Amino acid sequence: MSLFSKKNKEIFLGPLSKNNPVIVQVLGICSALAVTAKLEPALVMSLSVTAVLAFANVIISLLRNTIPNRIRIIVQLVVVAALVIIVDQVLKAFAYDVSKQLSVFVGLIITNCILMGRLEAFALGNGPWESFLDGVGNGIGYSIILIIVAFFRELLGSGTLFGFQVVPQFLYDMGYQNNGLMILPPMALITVGCIIWFQRARNKDLQEK
Amino acid sequence: MKALRNYLDKIKPNFQEGGKLSMFHSVFDGFETFLFTPSTTSKTGVHIHDSIDSKRTMSVVILALLPALLFGMYNVGYQHYLAVGQLDATSFLTVFMFGFLAVLPKIVVSYGVGLGIEFVVAQWKKHEIQEGFLVSGMLIPMIVPIDTPLWMIAVATAFAVIFAKEIFGGTGMNIFNVALITRAFLFFAYPSMMSGDKVFVRTGDTFGMGAGTIVDGYSGATPLGQIATAADPSVAVVDVLGNPIGTWDYFVGLIPGSIGETSTLAILIGAVILLWTGIASWKTMGSVFIGGAFIVAIFNAFGGSAALETSVWDHLFLGGFAFGAVFMATDPVTSARTETGKYIYGFLVGVIAMLVRVVNPGYPEGMMLAILFMNVFAPLIDYIVVDANIKKRLKRAKVTKA
């Protein structure tokens, strides 16, 4: 079996759109709301989740035949927790400011439904390479949504992108103001809702009857 | 009247299937049914046809809003000329014209944006144009401060019409009061333009009219703003020039505040129209006032701060309480529909509005939040009332069986 067979491509590309963990399966919404007020923390959070998801998937997939079925959730949690702690420590060492902004949400990756969902649904039944692809695919699917949401929230809420001023000063002089509501969590939910709306309008097969 | 009817009949074929303007048929239909009660009736079954339909209902509400709107316009001018110290030298008509010119753009923007979206959606979904926005579009300019920029009103109106109304299925399906969602959007998105003591009195000119410099000792704080920030429980509330004002001024309404909400007197005229025509429910309206009075009486018994010690009448007359009670809590779509439910709904609106106003230090006024909050609970109240009734009757049925 080749590394990039049709099936593997499907595993990798599915979560990007048709089977997106956030906007189709509606998992991991909490963190999508909490860290998307600015692009930078959203990007760091996306990378962290993708890394944890990919490696947790691989490790669980390798262990899948030795894990006793009754305690599999605990084993999964231990693996995820270990990876999350590593990520957290790396962030504290190399990106302290962002780590402070993300505060507890890096630690809370452990409770992210996407992780447990992929481990249970995919890694326990598939080989390490497929699991790795699945983890990266889902991680990127999550990241796309986070970054789109954060883009609009930061642009409209703070007038900046990655901390750089993009809304020109003359607009402010003319009376433009940043929209404070975009910084608040409700608008993250509404933005995610709009993306779901857009996605379903384009993909008729996702629409419920 | 006859000529108008004939004209409509003459241009009608253009808008029907196959006509050259058929894509605008819903626009035409909307105007036609607005001008003349449609004569179409149901073909099957027996129905009682009331001559008042929702377009006529909305027109009565607009009529009821007019006293508050006209007073609001006058008050805008009054506060402005008071602030620039030219009130005595200015005629009644000039004062009113100033306010009229200041408020008119807001009404135009609110209707333009809201009806624009309604028309597009109606055309797109091949609906009839619905009339719900007729009232919302008039309420929106009346519940914002006079210095709210027009583009903010446009953005907020668009947001509210799309996300609070069209998404839920249009007129009659919305969970939240559309006008209040507009205000809530403005309140949370642009807090500096929606509260504080800079926005409630227009100090600049309007289209070059009424220019002048602000007199010394001016302060644009609303009475509720003064009460909320007062350190001393026995605060003396003052007008924009520092003269003390009292309950009678709150009732008449020549005080700073959002455009349509200041005059309890003008609002009561509207309330009489609504109650007399039977459009609004006296149960909801009355119980809002009772709920507010009830909780303020309790606050008065405790005392301890300016807001807690303000009398019942003052609290009922100040801020948006009366306006919300008369025009927004009674919205037939978003309030409770069962008769018992109306009492509960109204009472809780009154209680929560006063709780937010008095106990929460962040918000000097709580009517908007109270009504939106109770909008969420209205279906639950109805459910409980209906359920309780079913249980009661079941019990009675069992007793007779035994």
Side-chain angles (χ1 to χ4, degrees), chain B residues 255-341:
Chain B
I255 50 174
S258 297
I259 295 163
E261 68 169 28
T262 55
S263 171
T264 310
L265 178 65
I267 292 164
L268 280 182
I269 298 172
V272 169
I273 297 175
L274 286 181
L275 294 179
W276 181 61
T277 52
I279 302 269
S281 161
W282 60 269
K283 292 173 183 166
T284 316
M285 207 185 283
S287 47
V288 175
F289 284 108
I290 293 170
F294 169 76
I295 194 85
V296 174
I298 295 177
F299 289 147
N300 284 171
F302 284 97
S305 77
L308 285 169
E309 288 185 7
T310 305
S311 77
V312 174
W313 290 117
D314 288 0
H315 262 307
L316 293 187
F317 295 157
L318 279 175
F321 190 83
F323 192 85
V326 171
F327 295 112
M328 303 187 124
T330 55
D331 176 355
V333 176
T334 56
S335 69
R337 293 176 194 204
T338 49
E339 295 304 310
T340 320

Side-chain angles (χ1 to χ4, degrees), chain B residues 45-396:
Chain B
V46 180
H47 297 269
I48 296 175
H49 198 96
D50 194 342
S51 61
I52 192 155
D53 59 8
S54 64
K55 282 197 174 70
R56 261 35 71 178
T57 308
M58 299 295 177
S59 309
V60 173
V61 180
I62 293 287
L63 209 66
L65 279 166
L66 277 182
L69 179 69
L70 294 176
F71 187 94
M73 288 172 172
Y74 176 71
N75 188 40
V76 166
Y78 182 89
Q79 299 299 330
H80 168 79
Y81 283 106
L82 202 61
V84 296
Q86 300 171 0
L87 188 64
D88 294 334
T90 316
S91 73
F92 175 84
L93 214 60
T94 320
V95 171
F96 181 78
M97 269 317 279
F98 179 92
F100 179 75
L101 289 177
V103 175
L104 194 63
K106 293 188 166 48
I107 300 177
V108 172
V109 166
S110 150
Y111 272 124
V113 173
L115 288 179
I117 293 172
E118 290 251 326
F119 280 24
V120 168
V121 171
Q123 208 68 53
W124 178 30
K125 300 209 147 178
K126 307 206 164 37
H127 282 166
E128 283 178 57
I129 288 187
Q130 292 172 325
E131 43 287 318
F133 195 75
L134 206 60
V135 170
S136 303
M138 187 58 94
L139 287 172
I140 290 165
M142 294 177 74
I143 53 176
V144 296
I146 183 65
D147 268 349
T148 315
L150 295 178
W151 70 268
M152 285 185 188
I153 295 181
V155 171
T157 307
F159 175 86
V161 172
I162 294 171
F163 287 98
K165 191 170 176 188
E166 297 304 344
I167 276 194
F168 289 100
T171 303
M173 316 283 262
N174 45 321
I175 296 177
F176 297 105
N177 187 312
V178 177
L180 278 177
I181 290 287
T182 310
R183 194 180 197 283
F185 181 88
L186 288 168
F187 185 78
F188 289 108
Y190 309 107
S192 68
M193 303 307 290
M194 290 302 289
S195 50
D197 50 10
K198 297 277 186 292
V199 293
F200 287 104
V201 176
R202 174 162 289 192
T203 48
D205 59 318
T206 301
F207 301 124
M209 198 177 160
T213 47
I214 305 166
V215 296
D216 292 339
Y218 162 82
S219 152
T222 62
L224 275 181
Q226 296 172 32
I227 290 171
T229 50
D232 178 15
S234 59
V235 61
V237 178
V238 294
D239 67 1
V240 292
L241 297 183
N243 305 314
I245 49 176
T247 311
W248 178 249
D249 301 280
Y250 305 155
F251 180 69
V252 174
L254 287 173
I255 50 174
S258 297
I259 295 163
E261 68 169 28
T262 55
S263 171
T264 310
L265 178 65
I267 292 164
L268 280 182
I269 298 172
V272 169
I273 297 175
L274 286 181
L275 294 179
W276 181 61
T277 52
I279 302 269
S281 161
W282 60 269
K283 292 173 183 166
T284 316
M285 207 185 283
S287 47
V288 175
F289 284 108
I290 293 170
F294 169 76
I295 194 85
V296 174
I298 295 177
F299 289 147
N300 284 171
F302 284 97
S305 77
L308 285 169
E309 288 185 7
T310 305
S311 77
V312 174
W313 290 117
D314 288 0
H315 262 307
L316 293 187
F317 295 157
L318 279 175
F321 190 83
F323 192 85
V326 171
F327 295 112
M328 303 187 124
T330 55
D331 176 355
V333 176
T334 56
S335 69
R337 293 176 194 204
T338 49
E339 295 304 310
T340 320
K342 285 176 183 167
Y343 290 116
I344 304 170
Y345 171 86
F347 189 80
L348 287 176
V349 167
V351 167
I352 294 168
M354 290 305 179
L355 268 178
V356 176
R357 182 190 283 188
V358 173
V359 181
N360 185 331
Y363 304 137
E365 173 61 312
M367 200 56 186
M368 168 184 84
L369 298 168
I371 297 176
L372 287 177
F373 188 67
M374 288 313 294
N375 282 170
V376 184
F377 282 97
L380 189 66
I381 294 172
D382 284 344
Y383 177 82
I384 292 170
V385 169
V386 171
D387 210 43
N389 200 29
I390 292 172
K391 283 217 182 87
K392 198 175 76 188
R393 300 184 71 161
L394 266 181
K395 219 170 172 183
R396 207 158 53 201

Side-chain angles (χ1 to χ4, degrees), chain A residues 102-176:
Chain A
L102 287 170
S103 65
V104 295
F105 290 104
V106 172
L108 285 177
I109 292 176
I110 192 172
T111 62
N112 195 320
C113 317
I114 298 174
L115 278 149
M116 296 307 281
R118 290 335 288 169
L119 295 181
E120 276 284 300
F122 198 89
L124 278 176
N126 289 285
W129 173 243
E130 285 87 355
S131 299
F132 179 74
L133 284 179
D134 179 76
V136 175
N138 275 287
I140 294 176
Y142 172 83
S143 310
I144 295 173
I145 304 304
L146 242 68
I147 286 168
I148 295 175
V149 174
F151 173 82
F152 284 110
R153 287 184 74 191
E154 184 169 357
L155 181 65
L156 298 175
S158 313
T160 56
L161 288 177
F162 286 109
F164 295 108
Q165 190 69 35
V166 287
V167 175
Q169 184 59 38
F170 72 85
L171 274 180
Y172 289 107
D173 296 338
M174 278 162 63
Y176 176 78

